[in-house]
Structure formats: structure tokens, C-alpha cells
Amino acid sequence: MTLLNTPRLRRRRIVGAAAAVGLVATLLTTGPAAATPDPGDAPTRSEVSRSTSADTKAAIKRGDIPEPDEVVHSDNIEHLANIPKDTLADTNSDLAFQGKYAFAGNYDGFRIFDISNPKSPKTVSQVLCPGSQNDISVSGDLLFLSTDSSRSDDSCASSTQPATEKSSWEGMKVFDISDKRNPKYVSAVETACGSHTHTLVPERRNVYVYVSSYSPSAEFPDCQPPHDGISVIKVPRKAPERAAVVKFPVLFPGDGPDGGGNPGEPTNPGVSKTTGCHDLTVLPSKDVAAGACMGDGILFDIKNPERPKVIDRVQDNVNFAFWHSATFNQRADKVVFTDELGGGGAATCNEETGPERGADGIYDIKGKGDKRKLVFKSYFKIDRHQADTENCVAHNGSLIPVKGKDLMVQAWYQGGVSVWDFTNSSKPEEIAYFERGPLSTDSLTTGGSWSAYYYNGYIYSNDMAKGFDVLKLNDRRTDPAKRVRLDELNVQTQPDYFARSRG
């Protein structure tokens, strides 16, 4: 691991574990040199037809979409700051928060910002530790980082290595962040099929980590089918070097070679076969979790964090291609699932795709206890059509905590950041937005906001290509949220906002 220290606006109205333990980071003033990122981790670029390029340029000329890199937003949003990528030059990913700090994942490692002044975030440290996606969470003095790319070993100096080799490593890394300027890598846990994302279930003495991964193959020694569950890691807070997998609960029991999840193609054309989960969201105050699992959405009970129990399971074989993530409302009587149509690399926010694919699905939760059921109500998708050179689809977002309302901010890649209201499950509506123009008019180049989260009065967005953005909402519908203060936020571990708020 290498630690690296570094110190036109217009508005538009809305339309090896042992070797790793205790490793102290080395301070450098130069760029990364000791580790090799995975090939293909960088944003993809594919040329488009002349007609598509001409259509994009014509839409810009008409004012239908902003110019390349032009920032536009609704009148109720301010763009306070942008911090470009620095030493960690690969794709930006997820975000976590603690006190005055924001933790930003990047396929090359992670970056810690001091956000005590949201108008001027300062870089505290940058840690080079390649391994996509570097999904990130924090709890107390511990930071968790997912590796879902096959590496030569578990160190931060690893290189790429085929998953067909038994010695290859993928899984979870744990860091000590008691000193934000000098994070220390303390342990690593290998998990079956790696760790695409992870979700924390924190307790006083231990932190449980639910690891989501998928796409097994008979050719992969450490990722064999069926892979129909999640890995549960137990991390003792006082001895994180003893972190280990304690359970692998099966969520989709069945007799088939891939378990009992959605069979996908050809049974359900255009739908992903369920071979694991992409992401889980827990609401510990309600002992409930929601799983976005490729071809399935699930609701389960987590009273015993080592033995999550599935309560209900739903599929949408008409409009959902890939169940990607989930967000509860505060009362846990609704859950929003996202569909990542095209895997995040396609242009799907256009008239051709329509309003019901690559969208959010809003489900009411009916009943009590083990008899709770997920009941579909409606779809939500941004109606600001994007160019066919812009990757755009529903992605990571969080609640905006306002009592009596169900409000959410959400990333849409190059569709930008959307704020929307789903208080009425059947009639969701967008109330604010922020976006940039396309990265290119001649090619589909992946970029845009990966995660957009509300934390202590501000929206923070991690743009895959453009860096770290800070936005401020000024709207009577969302203003009450400014009074809610948290000491820590991992969005996939949803807090009880109002029990913990002050002020």
C-alpha cells in the first residue's frame, strides 16, 4: 500500500493477509508506481456512428442538452465545489462519511477529504491499493474496501492475475483509520467470487460485513457454481486482524446448477441470471434488509446477523434487466430498487429505451413480520433525455431525511444527480437536478456520477471522471433535513435518522 499526500456555470429550469497485517503506509510525493491497476478498469470509450454524433451535436445546438462538460442545474441547487481526480487517476466509485470526513473509493484505492468547509474540501490522504471496485465503508476506526478483480495476492502492491489460477485473490480488505493522514492496512479476507460490494451490520464488539459477489464459473477455483448466497465476515473491533468468513447463507435454494434464482436467458429474455447479489441495504433499527440480486429483489430479516432469513422475493421480467441496489424509506414500508440496464456503460436515458427500463422500481412493503410482501407501485426515471454518447441509468442514492416525506437523491452516471419525491409511491416526481454535458459527441465514453448522497446538509457526488462534487439544496421541501446531523454514514447501512439527529 502506498499513501500519497497532496494537498462556466449556467442554470436551466427543470424539464497475502499475514504480510498485510499492521502495514504502515509510506508517504510519497510522486504518482503511483508500486501497483498495477486492472486492465479495463478505466472508463470505456467506443466510437458512435456519424448519424449519432450528428444528432448529439444538433441537440446541443438546439439547447436540448448542455454542451460537453457544461454544468447545468435546477434553480434550487447550488454547485459549491469540484475537486478533480489527483494521484488516483482511475474510476471513482462509492462514498462513505464520518464526522468531518468523506471517504471516496477509486479503482486505484481511496481518498479521504476534510469536508468541514463543504465549499472547499481538502485532501487529507490518498491510498494506492488497486482492485475494482474498491467499494468503501467505515465504522469507528475501521475502513472496509472491496476487491472484485483477480489479483496476484492480497497486498496493495498486487498485480492482475487470471481468476483461473488458484493462487489468485479477491475479497475484503480492512484498514485502521484512527489516523486519517496515515491509514494502516491491517487484514484481508478472501471471499468466494470476490467482493463486488459490501454492507456493514455494525455491533458494539463486532462489525458484520455482508459481501455481495456473483458470476461464478467452473473454470474459477475460488468462484464455483452454484453461488447462490452471500459471504458473512465477522470483524472484531479490537482485533480486526482476526476478521474471517463465518457463514455463507444461501438466499436462493434450488436444485439447479445455479441454485434457485432467476434463470435469466432464454427463459426470461433480457434478464440477468441470478448467480449471487449485486448489493444489499440494511436498516438495522428495523432488523430488515433488501437485496438487489441480479434477476431478483429480496426482503429479509437480519435479527440474527449471521443468519439472514429471506421473507419475500420478487422479479420483474418485463422491465428490469439487472437488480442493482436498494433503498428503504425511513418507516421501512417502502423500498426503491434500481435497474442497472446496460451495466452502467450504455446510453439508456433516451426516448428509444423509454421511461420504464433502466429505472427505479418503487415497492410498498405490506404486512408484518415474516408475512411481509413487496408490492410493486410504479417506476421512476429522469425525463431529461441524454445524448446517445452518454452512459446513463439508475445508480446509487440515499434518503434525504425529512419527517413525513420520502425524498431521495440519486446518481444517474452522465444523467447527473436527481432529487426526487416518492411520498406517493404511485406518482414519484423529480424536484431538483444537477448534470454536466456529454464527455464526448463522437464516442460513448463512460463517466458521470457513480454515487450521490445527502450528508449533514449537503449532497456529495463522486463523478467517475470529473472528481468529487459538493451540491447544496435550497428548497422548502428539503430544508428540514439540514437539522439532521449524523456522526457516520454508510448509505447501504441506513441509519434511523430521527432517533440519532440533534439540533
Side-chain angles (χ1 to χ4, degrees), residues 245-270:
V245 175
V246 292
K247 294 289 181 183
F248 187 86
V250 173
L251 304 179
F252 303 97
D255 297 328
D258 296 304
N262 195 317
E265 299 268 12
T267 304
N268 296 316

mmCIF file with all atom_site columns, all heavy atoms in Angstrom, residues 245-270:
data_model
loop_
_atom_site.group_PDB
_atom_site.id
_atom_site.type_symbol
_atom_site.label_atom_id
_atom_site.label_alt_id
_atom_site.label_comp_id
_atom_site.label_asym_id
_atom_site.label_entity_id
_atom_site.label_seq_id
_atom_site.pdbx_PDB_ins_code
_atom_site.Cartn_x
_atom_site.Cartn_y
_atom_site.Cartn_z
_atom_site.occupancy
_atom_site.B_iso_or_equiv
_atom_site.pdbx_formal_charge
_atom_site.auth_seq_id
_atom_site.auth_comp_id
_atom_site.auth_asym_id
_atom_site.auth_atom_id
_atom_site.pdbx_PDB_model_num
ATOM 1   N N   . VAL A 1 245 ? -14.500 -15.121 7.432   1.00 0.00 ? 245 VAL A N   1
ATOM 2   C CA  . VAL A 1 245 ? -15.835 -15.527 6.984   1.00 0.00 ? 245 VAL A CA  1
ATOM 3   C C   . VAL A 1 245 ? -16.410 -16.512 7.997   1.00 0.00 ? 245 VAL A C   1
ATOM 4   O O   . VAL A 1 245 ? -15.756 -17.490 8.368   1.00 0.00 ? 245 VAL A O   1
ATOM 5   C CB  . VAL A 1 245 ? -15.775 -16.185 5.597   1.00 0.00 ? 245 VAL A CB  1
ATOM 6   C CG1 . VAL A 1 245 ? -17.151 -16.720 5.199   1.00 0.00 ? 245 VAL A CG1 1
ATOM 7   C CG2 . VAL A 1 245 ? -15.289 -15.190 4.546   1.00 0.00 ? 245 VAL A CG2 1
ATOM 8   N N   . VAL A 1 246 ? -17.631 -16.229 8.486   1.00 0.00 ? 246 VAL A N   1
ATOM 9   C CA  . VAL A 1 246 ? -18.258 -17.108 9.476   1.00 0.00 ? 246 VAL A CA  1
ATOM 10  C C   . VAL A 1 246 ? -19.466 -17.852 8.915   1.00 0.00 ? 246 VAL A C   1
ATOM 11  O O   . VAL A 1 246 ? -19.856 -18.884 9.460   1.00 0.00 ? 246 VAL A O   1
ATOM 12  C CB  . VAL A 1 246 ? -18.667 -16.321 10.741  1.00 0.00 ? 246 VAL A CB  1
ATOM 13  C CG1 . VAL A 1 246 ? -17.431 -15.850 11.491  1.00 0.00 ? 246 VAL A CG1 1
ATOM 14  C CG2 . VAL A 1 246 ? -19.585 -15.147 10.408  1.00 0.00 ? 246 VAL A CG2 1
ATOM 15  N N   . LYS A 1 247 ? -20.054 -17.340 7.829   1.00 0.00 ? 247 LYS A N   1
ATOM 16  C CA  . LYS A 1 247 ? -21.225 -18.009 7.242   1.00 0.00 ? 247 LYS A CA  1
ATOM 17  C C   . LYS A 1 247 ? -21.306 -17.706 5.749   1.00 0.00 ? 247 LYS A C   1
ATOM 18  O O   . LYS A 1 247 ? -20.761 -16.699 5.273   1.00 0.00 ? 247 LYS A O   1
ATOM 19  C CB  . LYS A 1 247 ? -22.531 -17.529 7.901   1.00 0.00 ? 247 LYS A CB  1
ATOM 20  C CG  . LYS A 1 247 ? -22.696 -17.896 9.370   1.00 0.00 ? 247 LYS A CG  1
ATOM 21  C CD  . LYS A 1 247 ? -22.957 -19.378 9.567   1.00 0.00 ? 247 LYS A CD  1
ATOM 22  C CE  . LYS A 1 247 ? -23.145 -19.697 11.054  1.00 0.00 ? 247 LYS A CE  1
ATOM 23  N NZ  . LYS A 1 247 ? -23.340 -21.149 11.275  1.00 0.00 ? 247 LYS A NZ  1
ATOM 24  N N   . PHE A 1 248 ? -21.992 -18.573 5.036   1.00 0.00 ? 248 PHE A N   1
ATOM 25  C CA  . PHE A 1 248 ? -22.373 -18.309 3.651   1.00 0.00 ? 248 PHE A CA  1
ATOM 26  C C   . PHE A 1 248 ? -23.841 -18.703 3.508   1.00 0.00 ? 248 PHE A C   1
ATOM 27  O O   . PHE A 1 248 ? -24.176 -19.794 3.047   1.00 0.00 ? 248 PHE A O   1
ATOM 28  C CB  . PHE A 1 248 ? -21.511 -19.088 2.652   1.00 0.00 ? 248 PHE A CB  1
ATOM 29  C CG  . PHE A 1 248 ? -21.779 -18.712 1.215   1.00 0.00 ? 248 PHE A CG  1
ATOM 30  C CD1 . PHE A 1 248 ? -21.127 -17.636 0.634   1.00 0.00 ? 248 PHE A CD1 1
ATOM 31  C CD2 . PHE A 1 248 ? -22.714 -19.413 0.452   1.00 0.00 ? 248 PHE A CD2 1
ATOM 32  C CE1 . PHE A 1 248 ? -21.395 -17.275 -0.684  1.00 0.00 ? 248 PHE A CE1 1
ATOM 33  C CE2 . PHE A 1 248 ? -22.986 -19.063 -0.856  1.00 0.00 ? 248 PHE A CE2 1
ATOM 34  C CZ  . PHE A 1 248 ? -22.320 -17.987 -1.430  1.00 0.00 ? 248 PHE A CZ  1
ATOM 35  N N   . PRO A 1 249 ? -24.748 -17.822 3.956   1.00 0.00 ? 249 PRO A N   1
ATOM 36  C CA  . PRO A 1 249 ? -26.170 -18.155 3.878   1.00 0.00 ? 249 PRO A CA  1
ATOM 37  C C   . PRO A 1 249 ? -26.657 -18.221 2.435   1.00 0.00 ? 249 PRO A C   1
ATOM 38  O O   . PRO A 1 249 ? -26.377 -17.335 1.629   1.00 0.00 ? 249 PRO A O   1
ATOM 39  C CB  . PRO A 1 249 ? -26.853 -17.011 4.642   1.00 0.00 ? 249 PRO A CB  1
ATOM 40  C CG  . PRO A 1 249 ? -25.863 -15.897 4.621   1.00 0.00 ? 249 PRO A CG  1
ATOM 41  C CD  . PRO A 1 249 ? -24.515 -16.515 4.601   1.00 0.00 ? 249 PRO A CD  1
ATOM 42  N N   . VAL A 1 250 ? -27.378 -19.283 2.128   1.00 0.00 ? 250 VAL A N   1
ATOM 43  C CA  . VAL A 1 250 ? -27.955 -19.462 0.802   1.00 0.00 ? 250 VAL A CA  1
ATOM 44  C C   . VAL A 1 250 ? -29.271 -18.698 0.732   1.00 0.00 ? 250 VAL A C   1
ATOM 45  O O   . VAL A 1 250 ? -30.187 -18.946 1.522   1.00 0.00 ? 250 VAL A O   1
ATOM 46  C CB  . VAL A 1 250 ? -28.170 -20.951 0.488   1.00 0.00 ? 250 VAL A CB  1
ATOM 47  C CG1 . VAL A 1 250 ? -28.931 -21.125 -0.819  1.00 0.00 ? 250 VAL A CG1 1
ATOM 48  C CG2 . VAL A 1 250 ? -26.833 -21.668 0.421   1.00 0.00 ? 250 VAL A CG2 1
ATOM 49  N N   . LEU A 1 251 ? -29.367 -17.761 -0.199  1.00 0.00 ? 251 LEU A N   1
ATOM 50  C CA  . LEU A 1 251 ? -30.574 -16.947 -0.333  1.00 0.00 ? 251 LEU A CA  1
ATOM 51  C C   . LEU A 1 251 ? -31.513 -17.479 -1.402  1.00 0.00 ? 251 LEU A C   1
ATOM 52  O O   . LEU A 1 251 ? -32.699 -17.158 -1.408  1.00 0.00 ? 251 LEU A O   1
ATOM 53  C CB  . LEU A 1 251 ? -30.186 -15.503 -0.672  1.00 0.00 ? 251 LEU A CB  1
ATOM 54  C CG  . LEU A 1 251 ? -29.236 -14.801 0.305   1.00 0.00 ? 251 LEU A CG  1
ATOM 55  C CD1 . LEU A 1 251 ? -28.932 -13.392 -0.186  1.00 0.00 ? 251 LEU A CD1 1
ATOM 56  C CD2 . LEU A 1 251 ? -29.821 -14.767 1.710   1.00 0.00 ? 251 LEU A CD2 1
ATOM 57  N N   . PHE A 1 252 ? -30.974 -18.302 -2.313  1.00 0.00 ? 252 PHE A N   1
ATOM 58  C CA  . PHE A 1 252 ? -31.772 -18.809 -3.424  1.00 0.00 ? 252 PHE A CA  1
ATOM 59  C C   . PHE A 1 252 ? -31.608 -20.326 -3.525  1.00 0.00 ? 252 PHE A C   1
ATOM 60  O O   . PHE A 1 252 ? -30.966 -20.839 -4.444  1.00 0.00 ? 252 PHE A O   1
ATOM 61  C CB  . PHE A 1 252 ? -31.334 -18.142 -4.741  1.00 0.00 ? 252 PHE A CB  1
ATOM 62  C CG  . PHE A 1 252 ? -31.418 -16.645 -4.702  1.00 0.00 ? 252 PHE A CG  1
ATOM 63  C CD1 . PHE A 1 252 ? -30.288 -15.882 -4.427  1.00 0.00 ? 252 PHE A CD1 1
ATOM 64  C CD2 . PHE A 1 252 ? -32.617 -15.995 -4.905  1.00 0.00 ? 252 PHE A CD2 1
ATOM 65  C CE1 . PHE A 1 252 ? -30.355 -14.512 -4.372  1.00 0.00 ? 252 PHE A CE1 1
ATOM 66  C CE2 . PHE A 1 252 ? -32.701 -14.618 -4.856  1.00 0.00 ? 252 PHE A CE2 1
ATOM 67  C CZ  . PHE A 1 252 ? -31.567 -13.868 -4.581  1.00 0.00 ? 252 PHE A CZ  1
ATOM 68  N N   . PRO A 1 253 ? -32.171 -21.046 -2.563  1.00 0.00 ? 253 PRO A N   1
ATOM 69  C CA  . PRO A 1 253 ? -32.030 -22.509 -2.607  1.00 0.00 ? 253 PRO A CA  1
ATOM 70  C C   . PRO A 1 253 ? -32.744 -23.083 -3.814  1.00 0.00 ? 253 PRO A C   1
ATOM 71  O O   . PRO A 1 253 ? -33.799 -22.601 -4.233  1.00 0.00 ? 253 PRO A O   1
ATOM 72  C CB  . PRO A 1 253 ? -32.683 -22.962 -1.296  1.00 0.00 ? 253 PRO A CB  1
ATOM 73  C CG  . PRO A 1 253 ? -33.627 -21.851 -0.935  1.00 0.00 ? 253 PRO A CG  1
ATOM 74  C CD  . PRO A 1 253 ? -32.995 -20.592 -1.426  1.00 0.00 ? 253 PRO A CD  1
ATOM 75  N N   . GLY A 1 254 ? -32.147 -24.097 -4.389  1.00 0.00 ? 254 GLY A N   1
ATOM 76  C CA  . GLY A 1 254 ? -32.760 -24.754 -5.542  1.00 0.00 ? 254 GLY A CA  1
ATOM 77  C C   . GLY A 1 254 ? -31.907 -25.913 -6.001  1.00 0.00 ? 254 GLY A C   1
ATOM 78  O O   . GLY A 1 254 ? -30.755 -26.062 -5.602  1.00 0.00 ? 254 GLY A O   1
ATOM 79  N N   . ASP A 1 255 ? -32.473 -26.721 -6.886  1.00 0.00 ? 255 ASP A N   1
ATOM 80  C CA  . ASP A 1 255 ? -31.800 -27.928 -7.334  1.00 0.00 ? 255 ASP A CA  1
ATOM 81  C C   . ASP A 1 255 ? -30.961 -27.716 -8.590  1.00 0.00 ? 255 ASP A C   1
ATOM 82  O O   . ASP A 1 255 ? -30.204 -28.588 -8.995  1.00 0.00 ? 255 ASP A O   1
ATOM 83  C CB  . ASP A 1 255 ? -32.832 -29.031 -7.614  1.00 0.00 ? 255 ASP A CB  1
ATOM 84  C CG  . ASP A 1 255 ? -33.593 -29.426 -6.354  1.00 0.00 ? 255 ASP A CG  1
ATOM 85  O OD1 . ASP A 1 255 ? -32.986 -29.361 -5.264  1.00 0.00 ? 255 ASP A OD1 1
ATOM 86  O OD2 . ASP A 1 255 ? -34.781 -29.788 -6.468  1.00 0.00 ? 255 ASP A OD2 1
ATOM 87  N N   . GLY A 1 256 ? -31.110 -26.532 -9.246  1.00 0.00 ? 256 GLY A N   1
ATOM 88  C CA  . GLY A 1 256 ? -30.383 -26.294 -10.486 1.00 0.00 ? 256 GLY A CA  1
ATOM 89  C C   . GLY A 1 256 ? -28.904 -26.050 -10.244 1.00 0.00 ? 256 GLY A C   1
ATOM 90  O O   . GLY A 1 256 ? -28.456 -25.862 -9.104  1.00 0.00 ? 256 GLY A O   1
ATOM 91  N N   . PRO A 1 257 ? -28.095 -26.019 -11.301 1.00 0.00 ? 257 PRO A N   1
ATOM 92  C CA  . PRO A 1 257 ? -26.651 -25.811 -11.172 1.00 0.00 ? 257 PRO A CA  1
ATOM 93  C C   . PRO A 1 257 ? -26.302 -24.433 -10.626 1.00 0.00 ? 257 PRO A C   1
ATOM 94  O O   . PRO A 1 257 ? -25.203 -24.238 -10.114 1.00 0.00 ? 257 PRO A O   1
ATOM 95  C CB  . PRO A 1 257 ? -26.136 -25.994 -12.604 1.00 0.00 ? 257 PRO A CB  1
ATOM 96  C CG  . PRO A 1 257 ? -27.318 -25.737 -13.483 1.00 0.00 ? 257 PRO A CG  1
ATOM 97  C CD  . PRO A 1 257 ? -28.497 -26.226 -12.707 1.00 0.00 ? 257 PRO A CD  1
ATOM 98  N N   . ASP A 1 258 ? -27.239 -23.485 -10.725 1.00 0.00 ? 258 ASP A N   1
ATOM 99  C CA  . ASP A 1 258 ? -27.002 -22.143 -10.212 1.00 0.00 ? 258 ASP A CA  1
ATOM 100 C C   . ASP A 1 258 ? -27.931 -21.797 -9.051  1.00 0.00 ? 258 ASP A C   1
ATOM 101 O O   . ASP A 1 258 ? -28.110 -20.617 -8.723  1.00 0.00 ? 258 ASP A O   1
ATOM 102 C CB  . ASP A 1 258 ? -27.175 -21.107 -11.335 1.00 0.00 ? 258 ASP A CB  1
ATOM 103 C CG  . ASP A 1 258 ? -26.143 -21.278 -12.432 1.00 0.00 ? 258 ASP A CG  1
ATOM 104 O OD1 . ASP A 1 258 ? -24.949 -21.251 -12.106 1.00 0.00 ? 258 ASP A OD1 1
ATOM 105 O OD2 . ASP A 1 258 ? -26.532 -21.461 -13.589 1.00 0.00 ? 258 ASP A OD2 1
ATOM 106 N N   . GLY A 1 259 ? -28.503 -22.799 -8.415  1.00 0.00 ? 259 GLY A N   1
ATOM 107 C CA  . GLY A 1 259 ? -29.422 -22.526 -7.324  1.00 0.00 ? 259 GLY A CA  1
ATOM 108 C C   . GLY A 1 259 ? -30.808 -22.201 -7.834  1.00 0.00 ? 259 GLY A C   1
ATOM 109 O O   . GLY A 1 259 ? -31.177 -22.535 -8.962  1.00 0.00 ? 259 GLY A O   1
ATOM 110 N N   . GLY A 1 260 ? -31.591 -21.530 -6.999  1.00 0.00 ? 260 GLY A N   1
ATOM 111 C CA  . GLY A 1 260 ? -32.992 -21.313 -7.332  1.00 0.00 ? 260 GLY A CA  1
ATOM 112 C C   . GLY A 1 260 ? -33.353 -19.899 -7.709  1.00 0.00 ? 260 GLY A C   1
ATOM 113 O O   . GLY A 1 260 ? -34.518 -19.510 -7.614  1.00 0.00 ? 260 GLY A O   1
ATOM 114 N N   . GLY A 1 261 ? -32.374 -19.086 -8.128  1.00 0.00 ? 261 GLY A N   1
ATOM 115 C CA  . GLY A 1 261 ? -32.661 -17.717 -8.523  1.00 0.00 ? 261 GLY A CA  1
ATOM 116 C C   . GLY A 1 261 ? -33.256 -17.617 -9.912  1.00 0.00 ? 261 GLY A C   1
ATOM 117 O O   . GLY A 1 261 ? -33.538 -18.626 -10.577 1.00 0.00 ? 261 GLY A O   1
ATOM 118 N N   . ASN A 1 262 ? -33.436 -16.404 -10.380 1.00 0.00 ? 262 ASN A N   1
ATOM 119 C CA  . ASN A 1 262 ? -33.981 -16.154 -11.708 1.00 0.00 ? 262 ASN A CA  1
ATOM 120 C C   . ASN A 1 262 ? -33.116 -16.860 -12.757 1.00 0.00 ? 262 ASN A C   1
ATOM 121 O O   . ASN A 1 262 ? -31.900 -16.670 -12.784 1.00 0.00 ? 262 ASN A O   1
ATOM 122 C CB  . ASN A 1 262 ? -34.005 -14.646 -11.973 1.00 0.00 ? 262 ASN A CB  1
ATOM 123 C CG  . ASN A 1 262 ? -34.889 -14.265 -13.155 1.00 0.00 ? 262 ASN A CG  1
ATOM 124 O OD1 . ASN A 1 262 ? -34.871 -14.903 -14.190 1.00 0.00 ? 262 ASN A OD1 1
ATOM 125 N ND2 . ASN A 1 262 ? -35.663 -13.200 -12.980 1.00 0.00 ? 262 ASN A ND2 1
ATOM 126 N N   . PRO A 1 263 ? -33.705 -17.669 -13.638 1.00 0.00 ? 263 PRO A N   1
ATOM 127 C CA  . PRO A 1 263 ? -32.899 -18.391 -14.621 1.00 0.00 ? 263 PRO A CA  1
ATOM 128 C C   . PRO A 1 263 ? -32.360 -17.516 -15.737 1.00 0.00 ? 263 PRO A C   1
ATOM 129 O O   . PRO A 1 263 ? -31.455 -17.921 -16.466 1.00 0.00 ? 263 PRO A O   1
ATOM 130 C CB  . PRO A 1 263 ? -33.886 -19.429 -15.174 1.00 0.00 ? 263 PRO A CB  1
ATOM 131 C CG  . PRO A 1 263 ? -35.231 -18.798 -14.994 1.00 0.00 ? 263 PRO A CG  1
ATOM 132 C CD  . PRO A 1 263 ? -35.139 -18.007 -13.729 1.00 0.00 ? 263 PRO A CD  1
ATOM 133 N N   . GLY A 1 264 ? -32.916 -16.290 -15.877 1.00 0.00 ? 264 GLY A N   1
ATOM 134 C CA  . GLY A 1 264 ? -32.451 -15.393 -16.924 1.00 0.00 ? 264 GLY A CA  1
ATOM 135 C C   . GLY A 1 264 ? -32.711 -15.936 -18.315 1.00 0.00 ? 264 GLY A C   1
ATOM 136 O O   . GLY A 1 264 ? -33.684 -16.653 -18.557 1.00 0.00 ? 264 GLY A O   1
ATOM 137 N N   . GLU A 1 265 ? -31.797 -15.608 -19.257 1.00 0.00 ? 265 GLU A N   1
ATOM 138 C CA  . GLU A 1 265 ? -31.931 -16.081 -20.632 1.00 0.00 ? 265 GLU A CA  1
ATOM 139 C C   . GLU A 1 265 ? -31.825 -17.618 -20.686 1.00 0.00 ? 265 GLU A C   1
ATOM 140 O O   . GLU A 1 265 ? -31.067 -18.202 -19.915 1.00 0.00 ? 265 GLU A O   1
ATOM 141 C CB  . GLU A 1 265 ? -30.795 -15.487 -21.489 1.00 0.00 ? 265 GLU A CB  1
ATOM 142 C CG  . GLU A 1 265 ? -30.784 -13.976 -21.551 1.00 0.00 ? 265 GLU A CG  1
ATOM 143 C CD  . GLU A 1 265 ? -31.570 -13.439 -22.747 1.00 0.00 ? 265 GLU A CD  1
ATOM 144 O OE1 . GLU A 1 265 ? -32.304 -14.228 -23.387 1.00 0.00 ? 265 GLU A OE1 1
ATOM 145 O OE2 . GLU A 1 265 ? -31.436 -12.256 -23.025 1.00 0.00 ? 265 GLU A OE2 1
ATOM 146 N N   . PRO A 1 266 ? -32.525 -18.295 -21.598 1.00 0.00 ? 266 PRO A N   1
ATOM 147 C CA  . PRO A 1 266 ? -33.528 -17.761 -22.530 1.00 0.00 ? 266 PRO A CA  1
ATOM 148 C C   . PRO A 1 266 ? -34.931 -17.733 -21.942 1.00 0.00 ? 266 PRO A C   1
ATOM 149 O O   . PRO A 1 266 ? -35.857 -17.259 -22.594 1.00 0.00 ? 266 PRO A O   1
ATOM 150 C CB  . PRO A 1 266 ? -33.454 -18.741 -23.700 1.00 0.00 ? 266 PRO A CB  1
ATOM 151 C CG  . PRO A 1 266 ? -33.145 -20.056 -23.040 1.00 0.00 ? 266 PRO A CG  1
ATOM 152 C CD  . PRO A 1 266 ? -32.221 -19.721 -21.879 1.00 0.00 ? 266 PRO A CD  1
ATOM 153 N N   . THR A 1 267 ? -35.075 -18.246 -20.707 1.00 0.00 ? 267 THR A N   1
ATOM 154 C CA  . THR A 1 267 ? -36.412 -18.280 -20.099 1.00 0.00 ? 267 THR A CA  1
ATOM 155 C C   . THR A 1 267 ? -36.996 -16.871 -19.987 1.00 0.00 ? 267 THR A C   1
ATOM 156 O O   . THR A 1 267 ? -38.161 -16.637 -20.321 1.00 0.00 ? 267 THR A O   1
ATOM 157 C CB  . THR A 1 267 ? -36.351 -18.930 -18.702 1.00 0.00 ? 267 THR A CB  1
ATOM 158 O OG1 . THR A 1 267 ? -35.770 -20.228 -18.813 1.00 0.00 ? 267 THR A OG1 1
ATOM 159 C CG2 . THR A 1 267 ? -37.732 -19.032 -18.088 1.00 0.00 ? 267 THR A CG2 1
ATOM 160 N N   . ASN A 1 268 ? -36.170 -15.943 -19.506 1.00 0.00 ? 268 ASN A N   1
ATOM 161 C CA  . ASN A 1 268 ? -36.591 -14.548 -19.354 1.00 0.00 ? 268 ASN A CA  1
ATOM 162 C C   . ASN A 1 268 ? -35.659 -13.665 -20.175 1.00 0.00 ? 268 ASN A C   1
ATOM 163 O O   . ASN A 1 268 ? -34.620 -13.213 -19.678 1.00 0.00 ? 268 ASN A O   1
ATOM 164 C CB  . ASN A 1 268 ? -36.553 -14.147 -17.878 1.00 0.00 ? 268 ASN A CB  1
ATOM 165 C CG  . ASN A 1 268 ? -37.533 -14.932 -17.036 1.00 0.00 ? 268 ASN A CG  1
ATOM 166 O OD1 . ASN A 1 268 ? -38.681 -15.128 -17.417 1.00 0.00 ? 268 ASN A OD1 1
ATOM 167 N ND2 . ASN A 1 268 ? -37.085 -15.399 -15.875 1.00 0.00 ? 268 ASN A ND2 1
ATOM 168 N N   . PRO A 1 269 ? -35.982 -13.427 -21.436 1.00 0.00 ? 269 PRO A N   1
ATOM 169 C CA  . PRO A 1 269 ? -35.092 -12.672 -22.326 1.00 0.00 ? 269 PRO A CA  1
ATOM 170 C C   . PRO A 1 269 ? -34.758 -11.284 -21.778 1.00 0.00 ? 269 PRO A C   1
ATOM 171 O O   . PRO A 1 269 ? -35.625 -10.565 -21.264 1.00 0.00 ? 269 PRO A O   1
ATOM 172 C CB  . PRO A 1 269 ? -35.909 -12.561 -23.624 1.00 0.00 ? 269 PRO A CB  1
ATOM 173 C CG  . PRO A 1 269 ? -36.859 -13.702 -23.574 1.00 0.00 ? 269 PRO A CG  1
ATOM 174 C CD  . PRO A 1 269 ? -37.200 -13.874 -22.121 1.00 0.00 ? 269 PRO A CD  1
ATOM 175 N N   . GLY A 1 270 ? -33.483 -10.928 -21.874 1.00 0.00 ? 270 GLY A N   1
ATOM 176 C CA  . GLY A 1 270 ? -33.040 -9.618  -21.440 1.00 0.00 ? 270 GLY A CA  1
ATOM 177 C C   . GLY A 1 270 ? -32.833 -9.479  -19.951 1.00 0.00 ? 270 GLY A C   1
ATOM 178 O O   . GLY A 1 270 ? -32.483 -8.400  -19.468 1.00 0.00 ? 270 GLY A O   1
#
